[in-house]
Amino acid sequence: MGKYLDLARKPFAGTTNTTEHDRSRPEPPLVVFGRIGRTCKVLEQRCPDHVPVERWQQAVEDGRRFLARWGSQAEALGWTSADLFGLHTPPEQPHWSYSRLSRYDAIGLCWLLQGRPVVALTETTAAIMNPTSNVTVYRKNNKPALGPEGDSLDDLT
């Protein structure tokens, strides 16, 4: 039994208080995957204009977690930096209440995660687990689906 206790204590060698390891939570390692990883590194440096600081910090954390788990698969499936970290381009003179996160169709996946994990990834979708055990599907091509053939807004004129 003594050798197993020695193995259990080994990570704490050189410390006097073993509980200090329980309190400190290291950041997840960021594995840089090409352009996507570089974009995440740039995003970490500064909060974009017209984005609340809390949402920026959460997006950076979510981006790091996403890249650590899904980065290589996302790159292989053709996900781009814009698909993951994109933001709406602000107008030249935005209204004081303007938020770059208000346009769901123009923001990347990591801005929408808000601490929730991605549980599945395909070429065009990401499944996000919600706290209620429901899954939200993010479609990277946020365009509305087309209706049946012949169904057109031109028919209303």
Side-chain angles (χ1 to χ4, degrees), residues 12-23:
F12 303 110
T15 64
T16 56
N17 181 4
T18 58
T19 59
E20 71 185 56
H21 293 285
D22 297 334
R23 289 189 206 137

Side-chain angles (χ1 to χ4, degrees), residues 37-48:
R38 287 191 298 272
T39 301
C40 187
K41 285 281 196 195
V42 169
L43 181 62
E44 289 175 349
Q45 313 239 330
R46 175 178 90 73
C47 181

Side-chain angles (χ1 to χ4, degrees), residues 36 71-84 121-124 140-141:
I36 295 172
S72 59
Q73 184 175 350
E75 194 169 83
L77 290 171
W79 286 70
T80 66
S81 298
D83 295 332
L84 297 175
L121 189 69
T122 70
E123 260 182 45
T124 58
K140 96 174 169 175
N141 302 321

